[in-house]
Amino acid sequence: MRKHQNISYCSFLFTIGFVMLLSCQNTSPKLEGSSIIIERKVDSLLDLMTLEEKIGQMTQVRHFSDIQKGDVASKYIGSVIHTDGPLPGEDALGWQAKFVELQKEALSTRLGIPLLFGVDAVHGQNTFSGATIFPHNIGLGATGNPDLVQKAARITAIEAQATGFNWVFSPCVAIPYNEKWGRVYEAFSESTELTRAMTKASIKGHQGYLLDRTTVMATAKHYIGDGSTDFGVEGGNTTLTDNEITERLLPPYRDAVTMGVGSIMASFNTLNNQALHAHKALITDTLKTKMGFDGIVLTDWKGYSKYGKNDIINAGIDMVMAVDGDLELFQQGLKKGVEQDSVSQDRIDDAVKRILRQKYRLGLFEHPFPDATLVSKIGSSDHRNVAKQAVRESLVLLKNENSVLPINKEAGKIVVVGEHANNSGLQSGGWTISWQGKPENYKGATTILEGVKKISSSKIVYDKNGTGKHFDAQVAIIVVGEKPYAEFFGDVNNNTGFTLTLSKSHQDYIKAYTEADVSTVVVLISGRPLVISNQLKQSDAFVAAWLPGSEGDGIAEVLFGAYNFSGKLPHSWPESVNDFQGRFGPNFWDDTIKPLFDFGYGLNYEAIVKVN
Ligand code: BGC
């Protein structure tokens, strides 16, 4: 067991118990009263519903791609998901208008039950061009600052509401075991304790007081074992023992439930070859019964056709992402299951109650439409300042020799190298504007090069492809890293082409400038620790910058000493690709593999040099 996981199980249980005690003590008579009222409303509404209306509530569709006009009303749809990119040519009010149109359709039905609108806002409202985009969770993990994570989630909630959403599929509370997994960056850390702290902060920030129209329902995902599959395969098989699940993976979910998280998404992976979507023991017995979760358990993408159809409902799934052709299959299949007694009416009622409960908690029956006055807050300077603070605090200084950092702002000539230095799409990774992200600048974002130009009075030259040979420069800031990816596209294997090392051309950028004796600062943009042992030796300074999001200029502020480094590694850092031979290795270290840098490593300036 690694050092940071050395907390004993007893002290863990004690902490959980203490948190639960506190949360019970905090339950005011007023809140108890309001939840009794909500339960009464849920029961009365449920009594009025037909089977078709109940199954409709359990259905989530992708707007416009999965439905025709009129389907929301005629199929009694309960929720709409938006995933990929902007709707062309529309501003935030345009987005709101689309959702208003669908909401009106839902409200026109006999019982007028409003829709939940969900979005993958996993680092800010990242599907909207012009929104404030935060560092991905791995960077937030590096800040070690739960208050900041809470603020980031609060802002994400406001910007999500401003674009028409009342539900986000975030935070991802995975504990990644292997850097080969393409979703390492979506999780806060390999440490259960750090993940717990960030999970609590994130849910508090997103949900706050749910009735407030600037908050959203959050989703803890993906339940459970998403990040611990053998060899880091997205949606693969996890072979952990019950004890490992309980001690390492469940604690963030316990915290999420204690914090009142509104929904939990089931995971694509199997556990000891059993699909999580159909895992009754973990969904119903553990999550709902033992842990007392009273919110919605949602499938992942096409969960119905992919994982055992009605078995998943019997296991405890409450809402189905009935996308990409699953709509009729789900609605008819479940109806048949109930008629033939293979799914009980009680199970359906339990699912629908959970969905209605959250709709009441969100205040959707009173305020079903988005608030148009929130639009001015999207990408506001207040929001961007918090995101920039997160960028600064996420940077982890791995090496600083020969006094290269902080860079003197009057250094003479500075060369900034690499396409990642001036491309906000590359610096933001997957889940940015579009699902897989794109190597293109997007609205409102700043880049590292822009930050350098802003802060330094030196002559700044840009060598995009590392072939400019500006060997007369006093300092080279070389920005290298990964291309954007999301989900299985980012797994390290022969099909995706992703490796755990830098590309040959990026290695050459560093080689060229270091061999020419230019002082070099390497900035690594990546969704996971990469094997960079040789490049680390070559360079004078090395910074892990993760995937900073829209405020790239925040990086320059730290490189030039306007702020100190404070980030600490949220993952142990691998030394060699050979460390990845094992099933889990080496991220979730067994003690036979020695990391290059331990979890929690991070240097800083001894004295802070104020440049402004
Ligand atoms: C991902 C989820 C995401 C969902 C909806 C799935 O493929 O695994 O994390 O929330 O799609 O976009």
Side-chain angles (χ1 to χ4, degrees):
M1 189 177 270
R2 306 300 306 167
K3 271 171 257 115
H4 57 276
Q5 283 138 2
N6 241 347
I7 180 169
S8 76
Y9 193 48
C10 288
S11 73
F12 155 68
L13 285 178
F14 175 79
T15 314
I16 292 288
F18 186 64
V19 170
M20 287 179 82
L21 186 72
L22 278 185
S23 76
C24 292
Q25 285 170 343
N26 277 344
T27 310
S28 68
K30 195 169 157 226
L31 275 181
E32 278 173 11
S34 82
S35 59
I36 290 169
I37 293 169
I38 285 179
E39 293 309 309
R40 285 200 189 124
K41 285 182 178 170
V42 167
D43 288 340
S44 331
L45 188 49
L46 190 76
D47 277 350
L48 302 174
M49 292 173 78
T50 63
L51 180 60
E52 286 79 5
E53 285 165 333
K54 289 176 185 173
I55 292 174
Q57 281 304 303
M58 295 169 71
T59 312
Q60 181 177 71
V61 290
R62 186 167 36 166
H63 59 83
F64 316 117
S65 324
D66 294 313
I67 49 169
Q68 311 284 326
K69 200 166 167 47
D71 277 355
V72 163
S74 64
K75 297 182 198 300
Y76 311 108
I77 302 296
S79 173
V80 168
I81 179 175
H82 171 80
T83 52
D84 193 23
L87 305 172
E90 278 167 351
D91 57 12
L93 281 177
W95 282 43
Q96 288 198 2
K98 290 277 179 197
F99 299 132
V100 165
E101 191 189 313
L102 294 172
Q103 191 68 293
K104 281 187 176 159
E105 212 180 306
L107 297 177
S108 74
T109 55
R110 187 175 75 96
L111 299 172
I113 304 174
L115 287 162
L116 284 163
F117 292 100
V119 63
D120 283 298
V122 300
H123 63 143
Q125 204 315 37
N126 46 245
T127 65
F128 188 76
S129 187
T132 309
I133 314 267
F134 289 87
H136 268 295
N137 282 348
I138 194 168
L140 296 182
T143 69
N145 186 346
D147 290 343
L148 188 54
V149 170
Q150 187 180 326
K151 279 187 199 154
R154 177 85 190 92
I155 290 168
T156 303
I158 294 169
E159 298 200 9
Q161 278 282 2
T163 44
F165 300 96
N166 44 40
W167 186 5
V168 296
F169 307 127
S170 179
C172 173
V173 304
I175 313 280
Y177 276 40
N178 193 319
E179 313 298 9
K180 286 182 174 173
W181 188 39
R183 311 189 74 163
V184 167
Y185 66 85
E186 292 187 53
F188 294 110
S189 170
E190 72 178 35
S191 151
T192 301
E193 281 70 47
L194 183 55
T195 305
R196 291 183 60 188
M198 297 315 194
T199 299
K200 286 186 262 191
S202 174
I203 291 167
K204 200 165 176 192
H206 281 111
Q207 295 200 161
Y209 175 56
L210 259 190
L211 270 181
D212 179 332
R213 292 174 70 196
T214 62
T215 57
V216 292
M217 179 163 81
T219 308
K221 70 184 189 184
H222 310 80
Y223 186 78
I224 193 170
D226 48 353
S228 55
T229 57
D230 304 346
F231 308 103
V233 175
E234 163 64 2
N237 186 46
T238 293
T239 45
L240 295 184
T241 63
D242 289 352
N243 244 0
E244 284 168 316
I245 296 273
T246 308
E247 289 183 26
R248 291 177 171 171
L249 307 186
L250 264 181
Y253 285 99
R254 285 215 176 85
D255 292 329
V257 172
T258 307
M259 299 296 298
V261 73
S263 68
I264 291 180
M265 188 186 293
S267 184
F268 277 145
N269 62 287
T270 54
L271 174 64
N272 302 319
N273 296 315
Q274 188 181 349
L276 253 303
H277 275 68
H279 207 300
K280 186 161 189 277
L282 278 168
I283 297 177
T284 298
D285 304 347
T286 301
L287 189 60
K288 293 182 171 177
T289 310
K290 288 198 196 118
M291 281 162 49
F293 175 60
D294 69 359
I296 303 166
V297 180
L298 171 73
T299 69
D300 205 331
W301 197 255
K302 277 176 83 67
Y304 190 72
S305 57
K306 202 165 167 180
Y307 298 107
K309 308 211 172 75
N310 289 339
D311 289 354
I312 67 170
I313 306 298
N314 285 329
I317 293 282
D318 305 308
M319 186 182 278
V320 167
M321 255 184 226
V323 287
D324 276 353
D326 272 11
L327 174 57
E328 295 299 325
L329 185 81
F330 166 60
Q331 292 205 329
Q332 286 165 18
L334 184 55
K335 188 166 180 230
K336 206 160 152 202
V338 178
E339 286 164 356
Q340 294 177 348
D341 277 345
S342 60
V343 181
S344 72
Q345 186 64 55
D346 280 357
R347 179 69 271 277
I348 300 290
D349 286 353
D350 171 59
V352 177
K353 272 186 177 182
R354 289 165 178 274
I355 294 161
L356 296 178
R357 184 181 290 137
Q358 293 307 324
K359 290 185 175 182
Y360 279 114
R361 283 182 180 162
L362 272 161
L364 284 187
F365 287 85
E366 293 79 31
H367 297 291
F369 300 115
D371 177 351
T373 65
L374 289 178
V375 166
S376 63
K377 303 213 182 268
I378 300 173
S380 68
S381 56
D382 285 0
H383 289 184
R384 290 189 187 281
N385 284 341
V386 175
K388 205 191 280 195
Q389 182 189 348
V391 171
R392 293 190 301 256
E393 293 191 20
S394 71
L395 303 177
V396 181
L397 181 59
L398 297 176
K399 176 181 181 183
N400 187 19
E401 286 178 3
N402 309 318
S403 310
V404 63
L405 286 177
I407 303 168
N408 181 350
K409 69 171 184 163
E410 289 155 2
K413 178 175 175 182
I414 295 174
V415 56
V416 179
V417 185
E419 60 278 26
H420 282 68
N422 197 29
N423 189 311
S424 52
L426 284 176
Q427 89 203 6
S428 301
W431 301 108
T432 307
I433 313 304
S434 58
W435 176 36
Q436 293 295 319
K438 277 194 187 128
E440 287 167 15
N441 284 322
Y442 57 89
K443 202 168 140 195
T446 58
T447 66
I448 301 169
L449 177 64
E450 284 165 0
V452 171
K453 285 184 175 163
K454 209 187 300 171
I455 205 164
S456 169
S457 48
S458 302
K459 176 172 189 222
I460 311 293
V461 288
Y462 180 41
D463 180 7
K464 184 176 174 191
N465 302 315
T467 49
K469 300 192 176 153
H470 295 282
F471 299 146
D472 57 338
Q474 273 65 47
V475 182
I477 301 172
I478 306 180
V479 188
V480 291
E482 294 185 303
K483 292 189 186 126
Y485 53 80
E487 301 194 40
F488 51 91
F489 286 97
D491 283 0
V492 169
N493 61 42
N494 292 338
N495 298 332
T496 63
F498 278 99
T499 63
L500 291 163
T501 50
L502 289 175
S503 68
K504 167 87 172 56
S505 56
H506 282 193
Q507 294 185 25
D508 287 347
Y509 297 174
I510 300 170
K511 210 161 156 243
Y513 279 93
T514 52
E515 282 180 356
D517 265 347
V518 182
S519 294
T520 49
V521 176
V522 176
V523 177
L524 176 67
I525 301 288
S526 67
R528 49 191 153 199
L530 297 179
V531 175
I532 42 87
S533 302
N534 286 339
Q535 292 72 41
L536 194 81
K537 280 185 207 135
Q538 291 163 353
S539 54
D540 297 295
F542 206 105
V543 177
W546 317 110
L547 298 168
S550 58
E551 309 314 302
D553 59 353
I555 294 177
E557 295 177 345
V558 183
L559 297 182
F560 285 82
Y563 293 87
N564 206 340
F565 282 94
S566 60
K568 304 281 179 222
L569 286 182
H571 286 254
S572 326
W573 198 287
E575 182 164 24
S576 143
V577 280
N578 296 330
D579 294 342
F580 288 85
Q581 301 306 331
R583 194 153 54 95
F584 293 144
N587 185 27
F588 210 75
W589 302 87
D590 63 33
D591 287 328
T592 60
I593 303 169
K594 185 164 164 23
L596 182 63
F597 298 111
D598 282 320
F599 168 88
Y601 182 85
L603 305 170
N604 56 27
Y605 300 139
E606 278 172 19
I608 175 97
V609 188
K610 273 275 172 202
V611 292
N612 290 325

